[in-house]
PDB file of all heavy atoms in Angstrom:
ATOM      1  N   ALA A 249     101.155 131.567 -75.911  1.00 95.00           N
ATOM      2  CA  ALA A 249     100.604 132.919 -76.043  1.00 95.00           C
ATOM      3  C   ALA A 249     100.160 133.279 -77.462  1.00 95.00           C
ATOM      4  O   ALA A 249      99.599 134.351 -77.661  1.00 95.00           O
ATOM      5  CB  ALA A 249     101.655 133.926 -75.564  1.00 95.00           C
ATOM      6  N   HIS A 250     100.456 132.396 -78.420  1.00 96.00           N
ATOM      7  CA  HIS A 250     100.164 132.794 -79.804  1.00 96.00           C
ATOM      8  C   HIS A 250      99.417 131.704 -80.554  1.00 96.00           C
ATOM      9  O   HIS A 250      99.466 130.531 -80.182  1.00 96.00           O
ATOM     10  CB  HIS A 250     101.477 133.084 -80.546  1.00 96.00           C
ATOM     11  CG  HIS A 250     102.287 134.164 -79.910  1.00 96.00           C
ATOM     12  ND1 HIS A 250     102.006 135.506 -80.074  1.00 96.00           N
ATOM     13  CD2 HIS A 250     103.359 134.098 -79.098  1.00 96.00           C
ATOM     14  CE1 HIS A 250     102.885 136.221 -79.386  1.00 96.00           C
ATOM     15  NE2 HIS A 250     103.720 135.392 -78.777  1.00 96.00           N
ATOM     16  N   SER A 251      98.792 132.126 -81.648  1.00 96.00           N
ATOM     17  CA  SER A 251      98.137 131.147 -82.518  1.00 96.00           C
ATOM     18  C   SER A 251      99.219 130.385 -83.291  1.00 96.00           C
ATOM     19  O   SER A 251     100.376 130.827 -83.356  1.00 96.00           O
ATOM     20  CB  SER A 251      97.225 131.871 -83.506  1.00 96.00           C
ATOM     21  OG  SER A 251      98.032 132.599 -84.422  1.00 96.00           O
ATOM     22  N   ILE A 252      98.822 129.271 -83.902  1.00 95.00           N
ATOM     23  CA  ILE A 252      99.804 128.484 -84.664  1.00 95.00           C
ATOM     24  C   ILE A 252     100.378 129.332 -85.800  1.00 95.00           C
ATOM     25  O   ILE A 252     101.586 129.313 -86.052  1.00 95.00           O
ATOM     26  CB  ILE A 252      99.143 127.199 -85.211  1.00 95.00           C
ATOM     27  CG1 ILE A 252      98.732 126.349 -84.011  1.00 95.00           C
ATOM     28  CG2 ILE A 252     100.071 126.468 -86.186  1.00 95.00           C
ATOM     29  CD1 ILE A 252      98.777 124.888 -84.154  1.00 95.00           C
ATOM     30  N   TYR A 253      99.523 130.115 -86.452  1.00 96.00           N
ATOM     31  CA  TYR A 253      99.977 130.947 -87.562  1.00 96.00           C
ATOM     32  C   TYR A 253     101.060 131.932 -87.074  1.00 96.00           C
ATOM     33  O   TYR A 253     102.110 132.089 -87.700  1.00 96.00           O
ATOM     34  CB  TYR A 253      98.776 131.692 -88.170  1.00 96.00           C
ATOM     35  CG  TYR A 253      99.185 132.662 -89.242  1.00 96.00           C
ATOM     36  CD1 TYR A 253      99.607 132.212 -90.495  1.00 96.00           C
ATOM     37  CD2 TYR A 253      99.190 134.036 -88.987  1.00 96.00           C
ATOM     38  CE1 TYR A 253     100.010 133.105 -91.466  1.00 96.00           C
ATOM     39  CE2 TYR A 253      99.592 134.934 -89.963  1.00 96.00           C
ATOM     40  CZ  TYR A 253     100.006 134.466 -91.197  1.00 96.00           C
ATOM     41  OH  TYR A 253     100.419 135.347 -92.161  1.00 96.00           O
ATOM     42  N   GLU A 254     100.787 132.571 -85.916  1.00 97.00           N
ATOM     43  CA  GLU A 254     101.779 133.523 -85.374  1.00 97.00           C
ATOM     44  C   GLU A 254     103.073 132.797 -84.991  1.00 97.00           C
ATOM     45  O   GLU A 254     104.170 133.311 -85.199  1.00 97.00           O
ATOM     46  CB  GLU A 254     101.205 134.221 -84.133  1.00 97.00           C
ATOM     47  CG  GLU A 254     100.133 135.243 -84.464  1.00 97.00           C
ATOM     48  CD  GLU A 254      99.366 135.706 -83.223  1.00 97.00           C
ATOM     49  OE1 GLU A 254      99.284 134.942 -82.232  1.00 97.00           O
ATOM     50  OE2 GLU A 254      98.847 136.815 -83.248  1.00 97.00           O
ATOM     51  N   CYS A 255     102.925 131.597 -84.450  1.00 97.00           N
ATOM     52  CA  CYS A 255     104.126 130.822 -84.070  1.00 97.00           C
ATOM     53  C   CYS A 255     104.970 130.505 -85.288  1.00 97.00           C
ATOM     54  O   CYS A 255     106.198 130.570 -85.242  1.00 97.00           O
ATOM     55  CB  CYS A 255     103.727 129.508 -83.393  1.00 97.00           C
ATOM     56  SG  CYS A 255     103.107 129.757 -81.761  1.00 97.00           S
ATOM     57  N   GLU A 256     104.298 130.159 -86.392  1.00 97.00           N
ATOM     58  CA  GLU A 256     105.040 129.851 -87.624  1.00 97.00           C
ATOM     59  C   GLU A 256     105.860 131.070 -88.050  1.00 97.00           C
ATOM     60  O   GLU A 256     107.043 130.958 -88.361  1.00 97.00           O
ATOM     61  CB  GLU A 256     104.063 129.469 -88.741  1.00 97.00           C
ATOM     62  CG  GLU A 256     103.541 128.059 -88.598  1.00 97.00           C
ATOM     63  CD  GLU A 256     102.448 127.735 -89.621  1.00 97.00           C
ATOM     64  OE1 GLU A 256     102.044 128.631 -90.392  1.00 97.00           O
ATOM     65  OE2 GLU A 256     101.997 126.594 -89.607  1.00 97.00           O
ATOM     66  N   GLU A 257     105.198 132.219 -88.041  1.00 97.00           N
ATOM     67  CA  GLU A 257     105.877 133.453 -88.434  1.00 97.00           C
ATOM     68  C   GLU A 257     107.089 133.715 -87.534  1.00 97.00           C
ATOM     69  O   GLU A 257     108.183 134.029 -87.988  1.00 97.00           O
ATOM     70  CB  GLU A 257     104.914 134.650 -88.301  1.00 97.00           C
ATOM     71  CG  GLU A 257     103.946 134.789 -89.459  1.00 97.00           C
ATOM     72  CD  GLU A 257     104.695 135.079 -90.753  1.00 97.00           C
ATOM     73  OE1 GLU A 257     105.412 136.078 -90.799  1.00 97.00           O
ATOM     74  OE2 GLU A 257     104.563 134.283 -91.704  1.00 97.00           O
ATOM     75  N   LYS A 258     106.869 133.563 -86.236  1.00 97.00           N
ATOM     76  CA  LYS A 258     107.932 133.868 -85.269  1.00 97.00           C
ATOM     77  C   LYS A 258     109.088 132.878 -85.407  1.00 97.00           C
ATOM     78  O   LYS A 258     110.257 133.252 -85.338  1.00 97.00           O
ATOM     79  CB  LYS A 258     107.382 133.844 -83.836  1.00 97.00           C
ATOM     80  CG  LYS A 258     106.539 135.085 -83.540  1.00 97.00           C
ATOM     81  CD  LYS A 258     106.068 135.124 -82.101  1.00 97.00           C
ATOM     82  CE  LYS A 258     105.137 136.301 -81.863  1.00 97.00           C
ATOM     83  NZ  LYS A 258     105.768 137.614 -82.042  1.00 97.00           N
ATOM     84  N   MET A 259     108.754 131.598 -85.622  1.00 96.00           N
ATOM     85  CA  MET A 259     109.825 130.599 -85.732  1.00 96.00           C
ATOM     86  C   MET A 259     110.631 130.821 -87.016  1.00 96.00           C
ATOM     87  O   MET A 259     111.859 130.701 -87.023  1.00 96.00           O
ATOM     88  CB  MET A 259     109.239 129.195 -85.700  1.00 96.00           C
ATOM     89  CG  MET A 259     110.315 128.134 -85.537  1.00 96.00           C
ATOM     90  SD  MET A 259     109.613 126.505 -85.315  1.00 96.00           S
ATOM     91  CE  MET A 259     111.053 125.481 -85.614  1.00 96.00           C
ATOM     92  N   ARG A 260     109.920 131.175 -88.097  1.00 96.00           N
ATOM     93  CA  ARG A 260     110.585 131.477 -89.364  1.00 96.00           C
ATOM     94  C   ARG A 260     111.608 132.601 -89.152  1.00 96.00           C
ATOM     95  O   ARG A 260     112.765 132.507 -89.569  1.00 96.00           O
ATOM     96  CB  ARG A 260     109.508 131.937 -90.356  1.00 96.00           C
ATOM     97  CG  ARG A 260     109.760 131.529 -91.770  1.00 96.00           C
ATOM     98  CD  ARG A 260     108.536 131.812 -92.629  1.00 96.00           C
ATOM     99  NE  ARG A 260     107.619 130.697 -92.706  1.00 96.00           N
ATOM    100  CZ  ARG A 260     106.310 130.766 -92.477  1.00 96.00           C
ATOM    101  NH1 ARG A 260     105.738 131.912 -92.140  1.00 96.00           N
ATOM    102  NH2 ARG A 260     105.554 129.699 -92.581  1.00 96.00           N
ATOM    103  N   THR A 261     111.158 133.658 -88.468  1.00 96.00           N
ATOM    104  CA  THR A 261     112.038 134.809 -88.226  1.00 96.00           C
ATOM    105  C   THR A 261     113.209 134.408 -87.332  1.00 96.00           C
ATOM    106  O   THR A 261     114.362 134.751 -87.612  1.00 96.00           O
ATOM    107  CB  THR A 261     111.226 135.952 -87.547  1.00 96.00           C
ATOM    108  OG1 THR A 261     110.031 136.115 -88.270  1.00 96.00           O
ATOM    109  CG2 THR A 261     111.988 137.242 -87.498  1.00 96.00           C
ATOM    110  N   LEU A 262     112.897 133.656 -86.274  1.00 95.00           N
ATOM    111  CA  LEU A 262     113.957 133.230 -85.345  1.00 95.00           C
ATOM    112  C   LEU A 262     115.051 132.448 -86.067  1.00 95.00           C
ATOM    113  O   LEU A 262     116.246 132.687 -85.867  1.00 95.00           O
ATOM    114  CB  LEU A 262     113.370 132.300 -84.271  1.00 95.00           C
ATOM    115  CG  LEU A 262     112.800 132.911 -83.006  1.00 95.00           C
ATOM    116  CD1 LEU A 262     112.208 131.832 -82.113  1.00 95.00           C
ATOM    117  CD2 LEU A 262     113.928 133.631 -82.249  1.00 95.00           C
ATOM    118  N   LEU A 263     114.614 131.515 -86.931  1.00 96.00           N
ATOM    119  CA  LEU A 263     115.596 130.685 -87.639  1.00 96.00           C
ATOM    120  C   LEU A 263     116.443 131.523 -88.579  1.00 96.00           C
ATOM    121  O   LEU A 263     117.670 131.380 -88.634  1.00 96.00           O
ATOM    122  CB  LEU A 263     114.884 129.559 -88.410  1.00 96.00           C
ATOM    123  CG  LEU A 263     114.359 128.409 -87.565  1.00 96.00           C
ATOM    124  CD1 LEU A 263     113.451 127.494 -88.381  1.00 96.00           C
ATOM    125  CD2 LEU A 263     115.506 127.589 -86.960  1.00 96.00           C
ATOM    126  N   ALA A 264     115.781 132.440 -89.306  1.00 95.00           N
ATOM    127  CA  ALA A 264     116.529 133.283 -90.246  1.00 95.00           C
ATOM    128  C   ALA A 264     117.532 134.155 -89.501  1.00 95.00           C
ATOM    129  O   ALA A 264     118.680 134.308 -89.916  1.00 95.00           O
ATOM    130  CB  ALA A 264     115.553 134.139 -91.053  1.00 95.00           C
ATOM    131  N   GLN A 265     117.090 134.661 -88.335  1.00 95.00           N
ATOM    132  CA  GLN A 265     117.981 135.561 -87.567  1.00 95.00           C
ATOM    133  C   GLN A 265     119.128 134.807 -86.889  1.00 95.00           C
ATOM    134  O   GLN A 265     120.147 135.414 -86.571  1.00 95.00           O
ATOM    135  CB  GLN A 265     117.167 136.287 -86.494  1.00 95.00           C
ATOM    136  CG  GLN A 265     116.306 137.387 -87.075  1.00 95.00           C
ATOM    137  CD  GLN A 265     115.387 137.991 -86.031  1.00 95.00           C
ATOM    138  OE1 GLN A 265     115.212 137.430 -84.948  1.00 95.00           O
ATOM    139  NE2 GLN A 265     114.780 139.127 -86.359  1.00 95.00           N
ATOM    140  N   SER A 266     118.936 133.528 -86.654  1.00 95.00           N
ATOM    141  CA  SER A 266     119.979 132.820 -85.887  1.00 95.00           C
ATOM    142  C   SER A 266     120.991 132.102 -86.781  1.00 95.00           C
ATOM    143  O   SER A 266     121.832 131.345 -86.289  1.00 95.00           O
ATOM    144  CB  SER A 266     119.339 131.840 -84.899  1.00 95.00           C
ATOM    145  OG  SER A 266     118.533 130.934 -85.585  1.00 95.00           O
ATOM    146  N   ARG A 267     120.905 132.323 -88.098  1.00 95.00           N
ATOM    147  CA  ARG A 267     121.828 131.613 -89.002  1.00 95.00           C
ATOM    148  C   ARG A 267     123.296 131.862 -88.635  1.00 95.00           C
ATOM    149  O   ARG A 267     124.088 130.922 -88.565  1.00 95.00           O
ATOM    150  CB  ARG A 267     121.599 132.047 -90.447  1.00 95.00           C
ATOM    151  CG  ARG A 267     120.364 131.413 -91.040  1.00 95.00           C
ATOM    152  CD  ARG A 267     120.141 131.896 -92.455  1.00 95.00           C
ATOM    153  NE  ARG A 267     118.776 131.613 -92.868  1.00 95.00           N
ATOM    154  CZ  ARG A 267     118.197 132.153 -93.927  1.00 95.00           C
ATOM    155  NH1 ARG A 267     118.864 133.008 -94.687  1.00 95.00           N
ATOM    156  NH2 ARG A 267     116.969 131.849 -94.241  1.00 95.00           N
ATOM    157  N   ASP A 268     123.655 133.132 -88.399  1.00 94.00           N
ATOM    158  CA  ASP A 268     125.064 133.435 -88.120  1.00 94.00           C
ATOM    159  C   ASP A 268     125.517 132.768 -86.823  1.00 94.00           C
ATOM    160  O   ASP A 268     126.590 132.168 -86.754  1.00 94.00           O
ATOM    161  CB  ASP A 268     125.278 134.951 -88.044  1.00 94.00           C
ATOM    162  CG  ASP A 268     125.225 135.565 -89.436  1.00 94.00           C
ATOM    163  OD1 ASP A 268     125.528 134.824 -90.405  1.00 94.00           O
ATOM    164  OD2 ASP A 268     124.850 136.744 -89.555  1.00 94.00           O
ATOM    165  N   GLN A 269     124.665 132.890 -85.819  1.00 95.00           N
ATOM    166  CA  GLN A 269     125.011 132.289 -84.516  1.00 95.00           C
ATOM    167  C   GLN A 269     125.114 130.759 -84.648  1.00 95.00           C
ATOM    168  O   GLN A 269     126.063 130.142 -84.158  1.00 95.00           O
ATOM    169  CB  GLN A 269     123.932 132.653 -83.498  1.00 95.00           C
ATOM    170  CG  GLN A 269     124.317 132.286 -82.083  1.00 95.00           C
ATOM    171  CD  GLN A 269     123.083 132.112 -81.190  1.00 95.00           C
ATOM    172  OE1 GLN A 269     122.004 132.593 -81.503  1.00 95.00           O
ATOM    173  NE2 GLN A 269     123.275 131.420 -80.092  1.00 95.00           N
ATOM    174  N   ASP A 270     124.156 130.168 -85.358  1.00 95.00           N
ATOM    175  CA  ASP A 270     124.163 128.706 -85.520  1.00 95.00           C
ATOM    176  C   ASP A 270     125.390 128.239 -86.302  1.00 95.00           C
ATOM    177  O   ASP A 270     125.907 127.144 -86.082  1.00 95.00           O
ATOM    178  CB  ASP A 270     122.876 128.236 -86.222  1.00 95.00           C
ATOM    179  CG  ASP A 270     121.650 128.400 -85.324  1.00 95.00           C
ATOM    180  OD1 ASP A 270     121.833 128.716 -84.134  1.00 95.00           O
ATOM    181  OD2 ASP A 270     120.514 128.224 -85.811  1.00 95.00           O
ATOM    182  N   ARG A 271     125.834 129.083 -87.224  1.00 95.00           N
ATOM    183  CA  ARG A 271     127.035 128.753 -88.001  1.00 95.00           C
ATOM    184  C   ARG A 271     128.241 128.687 -87.057  1.00 95.00           C
ATOM    185  O   ARG A 271     129.058 127.774 -87.137  1.00 95.00           O
ATOM    186  CB  ARG A 271     127.273 129.804 -89.079  1.00 95.00           C
ATOM    187  CG  ARG A 271     128.447 129.461 -89.983  1.00 95.00           C
ATOM    188  CD  ARG A 271     128.236 130.081 -91.322  1.00 95.00           C
ATOM    189  NE  ARG A 271     128.498 131.523 -91.260  1.00 95.00           N
ATOM    190  CZ  ARG A 271     129.588 132.084 -91.754  1.00 95.00           C
ATOM    191  NH1 ARG A 271     130.503 131.343 -92.338  1.00 95.00           N
ATOM    192  NH2 ARG A 271     129.758 133.370 -91.680  1.00 95.00           N
ATOM    193  N   LEU A 272     128.293 129.655 -86.130  1.00 95.00           N
ATOM    194  CA  LEU A 272     129.425 129.705 -85.194  1.00 95.00           C
ATOM    195  C   LEU A 272     129.415 128.523 -84.226  1.00 95.00           C
ATOM    196  O   LEU A 272     130.440 127.904 -83.966  1.00 95.00           O
ATOM    197  CB  LEU A 272     129.380 131.007 -84.383  1.00 95.00           C
ATOM    198  CG  LEU A 272     129.816 132.257 -85.122  1.00 95.00           C
ATOM    199  CD1 LEU A 272     129.609 133.488 -84.249  1.00 95.00           C
ATOM    200  CD2 LEU A 272     131.284 132.141 -85.522  1.00 95.00           C
ATOM    201  N   ILE A 273     128.227 128.208 -83.702  1.00 95.00           N
ATOM    202  CA  ILE A 273     128.182 127.131 -82.696  1.00 95.00           C
ATOM    203  C   ILE A 273     128.059 125.748 -83.344  1.00 95.00           C
ATOM    204  O   ILE A 273     128.211 124.730 -82.681  1.00 95.00           O
ATOM    205  CB  ILE A 273     127.066 127.345 -81.646  1.00 95.00           C
ATOM    206  CG1 ILE A 273     125.687 127.412 -82.306  1.00 95.00           C
ATOM    207  CG2 ILE A 273     127.321 128.578 -80.800  1.00 95.00           C
ATOM    208  CD1 ILE A 273     124.543 127.450 -81.294  1.00 95.00           C
ATOM    209  N   GLY A 274     127.776 125.707 -84.645  1.00 94.00           N
ATOM    210  CA  GLY A 274     127.754 124.428 -85.353  1.00 94.00           C
ATOM    211  C   GLY A 274     126.500 123.606 -85.108  1.00 94.00           C
ATOM    212  O   GLY A 274     126.502 122.390 -85.338  1.00 94.00           O
TER     213      GLY A 274
END
Side-chain angles (χ1 to χ4, degrees):
H250 301 281
S251 69
I252 296 213
Y253 175 73
E254 287 168 334
C255 287
E256 283 173 356
E257 280 296 302
K258 285 184 185 296
M259 191 174 165
R260 214 170 269 129
T261 312
L262 272 177
L263 285 169
Q265 285 173 346
S266 58
R267 283 178 197 165
D268 286 334
Q269 190 203 340
D270 290 352
R271 184 152 75 105
L272 284 175
I273 59 173

